[in-house]
Amino acid sequence: MKILILGAGGMIGRKLTAALLRKGDLSGQAIQSMTLADVVKTDAPASAIPLHTVAADLSAPGVAAELIAERPDVVFHLAAIVSGEAEADFEKGYRINLDGTRELFEAVRRVHGADGYRPRVVFTSSVAVFGQPLPPVVPETQVLAPLSSYGTQKAIGELLLADYSRRGFMDGIGIRLPTIVIRPGQPNKAASGFFSGILREPLAGLPATLPVGDDVRHWFASPRRAVEFVLRAAEVDTSGLGVRRTLDMPGLSATVGEAIEALRRAAGDEAVALIRREPDPAVQRIIESWPEAFDPQRARALGFEADASFDEIIRRHLEDEAPATTVRS
Amino acid sequence: MKILILGAGGMIGRKLTAALLRKGDLSGQAIQSMTLADVVKTDAPASAIPLHTVAADLSAPGVAAELIAERPDVVFHLAAIVSGEAEADFEKGYRINLDGTRELFEAVRRVHGADGYRPRVVFTSSVAVFGQPLPPVVPETQVLAPLSSYGTQKAIGELLLADYSRRGFMDGIGIRLPTIVIRPGQPNKAASGFFSGILREPLAGLPATLPVGDDVRHWFASPRRAVEFVLRAAEVDTSGLGVRRTLDMPGLSATVGEAIEALRRAAGDEAVALIRREPDPAVQRIIESWPEAFDPQRARALGFEADASFDEIIRRHLEDEAPATTVRS
């Protein structure tokens, strides 16, 4: 079992690498080697399994072909320019998110044509493929109507994944991840950043800003669940997926107020008092255009499971990222 | 008012050219010149308006840029490899239907970047963007889940059209045409070909084959309506379209049996007797995966109108294509 991770340097990529090294196998087959690719060469963690790290821009000529020439059994395609950057730099977004994805799929198709090679390809997509108007609970048959170039590029990736899989060139599966909370590390400028910030910062004794109302509802998964989703997507039986190869992932539908009450239970009133309310109508408008909840029947039937509560999300964050001493006993 | 028609040599392209020459203006502005482009150079009809015919493969380097350098006010993008060929020749389908469309949109974007140029771009899409399962009446929010490479390429074209329009590079509108009946000319090998054949051939005194049951229901428009749709799309106010720039066109939802009864009213029992029933389970399966009816509220609100009946579709065919003497008085 050979594995290729594209976008290995990102948050999910690093956690996925660690999880694969802990697990040691995939679909019951021992992992023989892993190639960790990202636009900048990442440090490989210490490992008994041979790890190759590669600096690779998928959209550059020949790069995808070189990576696929190794015939990985499973390709995790997590590489993407994020939403804000894809909107700010139109050409870069299309080059990395669309051309890069297509180059990868074409490289797979060419090797398939030569010898029948047909890897599992796990593609992380996003709820950004959906636009407005959205019903309170988004069904699995909701139209793709992205409100951003990033969402457009992910939707196109989903369509290519489906067609290349339908034609038998690869065994693709796409997963639309919920908004990940609590993202570890520094605050970022993503419009969704405050969802993590209002929990992560107070849990570390730091102030945080809340730009939207407490009644804003959204769809969440912990980083640990996100990694479970990606792993499960590599192992799950895809034979029943039909032409819709991309699945809405289960998530926790919760309001900002519910997240704050979970913070209060975990770290007390003093933590909650660190949240400063600074309503920002521009952010509020963006967030209100996002889905509030999904009905991910197909993913649930395949064993994908959501976090049960924000209490669980906070507990996982503290176990995985922060010193245990910040948890109230 | 300068006009560019891509795919001008096809059935819709030729009828659109003729309609524009008759009309003489678009959105109240006199047509100054028209460029008729297709993969093979077509004969230009006699015309008082200057017509340029061009042999152009949009996917070839520089071709789209050269066409757009003329700064057409309206671009009709009808060019496509059809469904069967796109399925048989994977690379050609993606090259013409995806790369060609993207090259066109990129050429527009580059001129936009230079001087703010922002043409109306009318893109003909297809109900082939939809897959299974489909409800009896397909809503406007139905997921894009194509069952063919052609449908995938059209869905991607729709997504690009929406994003390039949202970014302000062009004023795009997509229209999903129903199955066109009665297609003039010779029988073709498209799975949908019999819908035209069982009317066109008997109306001309020739035998025709019906591979599906009389109760098969589908969604139709006459060639004349299709041209009206394309023209209206060039003139309609797009300001209320939002991010969903592609509209389901109105159509006539009717069964094969209803079409045959209209044939009987138009040309009598002897015409109907020319239809030979040869059930073909493979064709029946393909046709059953196609949509039966839509609820095209947005298009109707913008003045797009369907044919009223198969009687009207047959009457229009006879007016436009066949000698009037074959009509029963």
Side-chain angles (χ1 to χ4, degrees), chain A residues 230-287:
Chain A
V230 174
L231 278 176
R232 181 170 290 274
E235 296 188 313
V236 85
D237 178 7
T238 56
S239 61
L241 291 183
V243 292
R244 288 183 294 132
R245 306 285 298 200
T246 298
L247 300 168
D248 294 327
M249 287 292 103
L252 174 67
S253 177
T255 65
V256 166
E258 288 163 18
I260 292 173
E261 287 315 303
L263 172 66
R264 193 185 309 278
R265 286 189 290 275
D269 292 338
E270 60 271 39
V272 173
L274 288 165
I275 300 173
R276 197 173 55 242
R277 282 176 169 74
E278 281 186 14
D280 182 332
V283 173
Q284 176 93 21
R285 261 197 310 278
I286 293 173
I287 306 293

Side-chain angles (χ1 to χ4, degrees), chain B residues 4 59 68 90 96 146 179 197 207 218 224 244 254 275 292-293:
Chain B
L4 170 62
S59 67
I68 295 303
F90 185 85
I96 303 293
T179 291
H218 192 49
R224 207 194 286 182
R244 288 184 294 133
I275 301 173
E292 296 185 347

Side-chain angles (χ1 to χ4, degrees), chain B residues 258-269 272 309-311 328:
Chain B
E258 288 163 18
I260 292 173
E261 287 315 303
L263 173 66
R264 193 185 309 276
R265 286 189 290 274
D269 292 339
V272 172
S309 65
F310 252 105
D311 301 282
R328 288 210 147 183

